[in-house]
Amino acid sequence: MDLSVIGRNAKTSARSLSIASSRQRNDVLLEIGQLLIENEAKILAANARDVESASQQKLSEAMIDRLLITPSRLRGMAADIQKIVELPDPIGEVFEQQTLPNGLRVHKQRVPIGVLGVIYESRPNVTIDVSCLALKSGNAVILRGGSETIESNRTLVEIIQQALDRHRLPLHSVQFIDSPERRYVLDLLKLHTYVDLIIPRGGAKLHQFCKENSQIPVITGGVGICHLFVDETANIEKAVEVIYNAKVQRPTVCNALDTLLVHHKVADTLLPRVFNRLSEAGVFFRLDQSVFEKLDLKMSDQFQPAQSGDFDTEWLSLVMGVKIVANLDEAIQHIEEHSTAHSDGILSENPENIDIFVNRVDSAAVYVNASTRFTDGGQLGLGAEVAVSTQKLHARGPMGLRELTTYKWVIMGNGHVRE
């Protein structure tokens, strides 16, 4: 497999996509959504082969859950495409218009980034989300999924290219590195002649590998050590349900709750209710010594002392760290030391505490009285997302259509020359 050919084809396709009409790009997306439903049996059969292989390789339950496509998840993928279609097209948007004193008329105009290289693990829905967001925003994309999902991705890309062909857009607008060999990841990271941006989606090791080896700008993120702090004014009943949702609703994803911080004044009231509610769902707890002392708990399978590194762990499972803190400052200090700047929140009825928390906690998504599970492109009105960025350039948080664009300056004159 020659990645330079793939890159060259992607670059050529990106030029065509950048000038395709909004209607043409939307029609392709609608076609993809329809083909997903029509090819349900084929997609589920391919995914079943991946799941069987993953089980034989004894991959973790979290990995297999991310890999799995069910009929309802497939319908959800198709529904997300419809949401993307309904979003305004960012390409060509004019903003920051001004007329200079010399009469020059200046504005910025939104344009596609160009060619995206997306490296991801497990979740085949990423193939659809990324491809559709890329096409809608006029970008070509080179996909490199994990070896554990190769059958699913191969089938999904065939469907995407079928839709492109039907609507006379270049097949190479979406390409798939159809090989599990790891050397192609390194080859992609060095394809700077053709690829404009690398987006890794996976664990910390993948992100670190991309940062260390890429010759192309890399969007980092997707690793979430997420916190909720319950202060002394929080509504206890609401807090219990928010904590339950953040931890249990889907524990295998990056925006699931990892660490609960509780003000010492409400620990006696809140924590027994949290333990009872979450234990019913099978949650195991890693407890700071402060919790054992405050509640006079005994160590058990359910309640274990937090070990070195536990508060720096993205659990991706039904495990949660718990710590009692003296005040807001201590909670924020803990977050500053252990957070990955993904999603962190406060449960409080005190406006002053809320303002301090929002202003001081420097995460991509900061929550007030809400579950961290909303850090998601679909949930936040983006239709879908290509990644959740925890860096500061050029995008932060869920990356949707607008985050897949850049801009150019347009300067209009009337024979102007510079003196």
Side-chain angles (χ1 to χ4, degrees):
M1 187 180 301
D2 188 345
L3 257 62
S4 64
V5 174
I6 291 176
R8 191 179 307 115
N9 289 336
K11 198 74 170 179
T12 301
S13 299
R15 296 190 187 101
S16 298
L17 280 174
S18 69
I19 59 174
S21 69
S22 179
R23 178 171 181 176
Q24 190 175 15
R25 285 180 274 122
N26 279 336
D27 284 347
V28 169
L29 299 194
L30 291 171
E31 187 80 32
I32 293 170
Q34 183 63 34
L35 289 173
L36 288 179
I37 302 303
E38 292 176 3
N39 288 273
E40 176 179 313
K42 181 178 180 181
I43 294 167
L44 295 182
N47 183 249
R49 293 193 293 273
D50 284 331
V51 171
E52 174 64 23
S53 177
S55 298
Q56 291 176 357
Q57 296 175 50
K58 301 188 183 306
L59 297 186
S60 69
E61 291 184 11
M63 186 72 82
I64 292 175
D65 179 65
R66 289 184 171 203
L67 168 62
L68 180 64
I69 301 176
T70 63
S72 62
R73 287 185 182 181
L74 188 63
R75 290 191 294 273
M77 289 157 62
D80 284 343
I81 294 174
Q82 181 62 44
K83 294 176 185 176
I84 296 172
V85 169
E86 294 170 358
L87 292 172
D89 186 352
I91 302 305
E93 175 190 344
V94 172
F95 60 103
E96 294 187 16
Q97 300 179 72
Q98 60 177 317
T99 300
L100 303 180
N102 63 4
L104 283 175
R105 289 174 289 124
V106 179
H107 68 259
K108 295 176 182 176
Q109 185 167 316
R110 202 165 292 283
V111 297
I113 288 174
V115 177
L116 312 176
V118 183
I119 305 166
Y120 54 109
E121 301 168 344
S122 295
R123 296 170 63 177
N125 65 292
V126 173
T127 303
I128 297 298
D129 290 350
V130 168
S131 298
C132 290
L133 285 169
L135 292 171
K136 173 87 175 188
S137 57
N139 294 285
V141 63
I142 301 171
L143 302 167
R144 201 288 182 179
S147 59
E148 70 282 351
T149 187
I150 194 164
E151 294 283 351
S152 304
N153 286 338
R154 185 178 289 141
T155 301
L156 293 172
V157 171
E158 286 176 1
I159 288 170
I160 293 166
Q161 291 185 336
Q162 183 179 346
L164 286 165
D165 187 51
R166 288 185 181 181
H167 292 274
R168 299 183 180 180
L169 283 175
L171 288 181
H172 295 129
S173 300
V174 176
Q175 296 179 87
F176 169 52
I177 299 177
D178 193 357
S179 170
E181 293 185 41
R182 292 181 179 274
R183 65 186 177 93
Y184 289 116
V185 174
L186 190 58
D187 289 348
L188 178 58
L189 294 177
K190 300 190 182 305
L191 208 62
H192 58 85
T193 303
Y194 304 110
V195 178
D196 298 289
L197 185 67
I198 294 290
I199 304 174
R201 288 190 59 159
K205 290 183 180 179
L206 173 62
H207 285 261
Q208 190 64 29
F209 182 83
C210 291
K211 286 192 291 184
E212 292 176 353
N213 292 279
S214 182
Q215 297 177 358
I216 305 163
V218 177
I219 290 289
T220 57
V223 178
I225 299 175
C226 303
H227 300 76
L228 283 175
F229 167 54
V230 184
D231 81 358
E232 68 274 29
T233 70
N235 181 305
I236 298 300
E237 290 187 6
K238 291 180 180 178
V240 171
E241 293 309 310
V242 169
I243 294 162
Y244 181 89
N245 179 263
K247 180 71 255 180
V248 173
Q249 196 257 347
R250 195 173 179 189
T252 59
V253 292
C254 59
N255 56 23
L257 178 63
D258 295 290
T259 300
L260 176 65
L261 304 172
V262 180
H263 195 286
H264 72 98
K265 289 184 178 179
V266 294
D268 286 332
T269 305
L270 175 75
L271 285 178
R273 297 180 64 172
V274 168
F275 293 152
N276 288 337
R277 183 84 166 92
L278 273 63
S279 293
E280 293 173 357
V283 176
F284 292 83
F285 303 92
R286 299 292 186 270
L287 306 180
D288 183 76
Q289 188 60 32
S290 60
V291 181
F292 281 104
E293 294 173 356
K294 182 74 171 176
L295 301 183
D296 194 26
L297 285 174
K298 303 298 182 185
M299 190 171 64
S300 66
D301 288 342
Q302 203 86 28
F303 303 115
Q304 297 184 14
Q307 303 298 315
S308 175
D310 278 358
F311 287 119
D312 297 301
T313 298
E314 183 187 28
W315 292 109
L316 299 175
S317 64
L318 290 172
V319 178
M320 186 175 77
V322 183
K323 181 179 181 180
I324 295 173
V325 295
N327 50 43
L328 175 61
D329 283 341
E330 186 180 344
I332 292 174
Q333 182 179 352
H334 179 98
I335 291 170
E336 289 172 346
E337 291 176 0
H338 300 283
S339 173
T340 53
H342 190 293
S343 301
D344 298 295
I346 183 172
L347 306 181
S348 173
E349 300 297 322
N350 183 318
E352 183 179 355
N353 283 354
I354 291 170
D355 286 345
I356 292 172
F357 189 93
V358 169
N359 289 327
R360 285 181 54 187
V361 173
D362 189 20
S363 298
V366 180
Y367 285 85
V368 177
N369 295 323
S371 167
T372 56
R373 286 285 290 116
F374 289 100
T375 309
D376 173 89
Q379 293 293 316
L380 296 181
L382 304 183
E385 68 189 34
V386 296
V388 176
S389 168
T390 55
Q391 65 183 37
K392 299 186 179 182
L393 296 174
H394 76 286
R396 254 190 134 184
M399 294 179 59
L401 290 175
R402 188 176 295 272
E403 289 74 28
L404 293 181
T405 67
T406 182
Y407 61 84
K408 59 186 174 187
W409 290 79
V410 178
I411 300 98
M412 305 185 71
N414 185 22
H416 282 65
V417 294
R418 180 172 176 175
E419 296 180 0

